[in-house]
Amino acid sequence: MQAYAQSKLALTMWNNALAASYGHEGPVFVAVNPGSLLASKMVKEGFGVAGKSLSIGADVLVRAALSEELAGASGLYFDNDRGQFGPPHPDALNEAKCASIVKAIEELVGPSKR
């Protein structure tokens, strides 16, 4: 679970760094918590519960991709458990830490193409 949490934080930090680098002129980058304890294999094995419908997470991701609701929300964090934007982990707001994550990702996969 610790590795999962770290990977989600890294994705949010990468999202924030991309949003900052493109500014208002580029695509929209929104970090989304699709929902907690959804009916995934990880939830079933890790917590011993069936979990909530995966459609909860799918629905918010479709909304994020296709609706105007999140069109001006680049660099923000949408918490589907709360149904609203909220603050991410404090590290995701730290520009130096976000830059460090981007550097590590780019060392592994190469720089993003614009």
Side-chain angles (χ1 to χ4, degrees), residues 14-81:
W14 185 37
N15 174 83
N16 290 358
L18 286 170
S21 72
Y22 279 86
H24 298 293
E25 301 300 318
V28 175
F29 295 92
V30 179
V32 176
N33 166 22
S36 298
L37 296 176
L38 300 181
S40 66
K41 180 179 178 183
M42 182 181 70
V43 166
K44 290 174 186 171
E45 292 178 0
F47 296 98
V49 298
K52 298 177 275 187
S53 173
L54 289 172
S55 67
I56 294 169
D59 290 345
V60 73
L61 296 175
V62 168
R63 278 181 27 225
L66 301 177
S67 77
E68 290 299 314
E69 174 186 9
L70 304 181
S74 199
L76 298 180
Y77 176 79
F78 187 83
D79 186 345
N80 201 34
D81 288 332

Side-chain angles (χ1 to χ4, degrees), residues 73-104:
S74 199
L76 298 180
Y77 176 79
F78 187 83
D79 186 345
N80 201 34
D81 288 332
R82 294 183 178 161
Q84 62 187 16
F85 291 98
H89 186 282
D91 285 351
L93 301 174
N94 182 309
E95 288 182 29
K97 288 182 179 183
C98 289
S100 176
I101 289 292
V102 170
K103 181 179 179 198

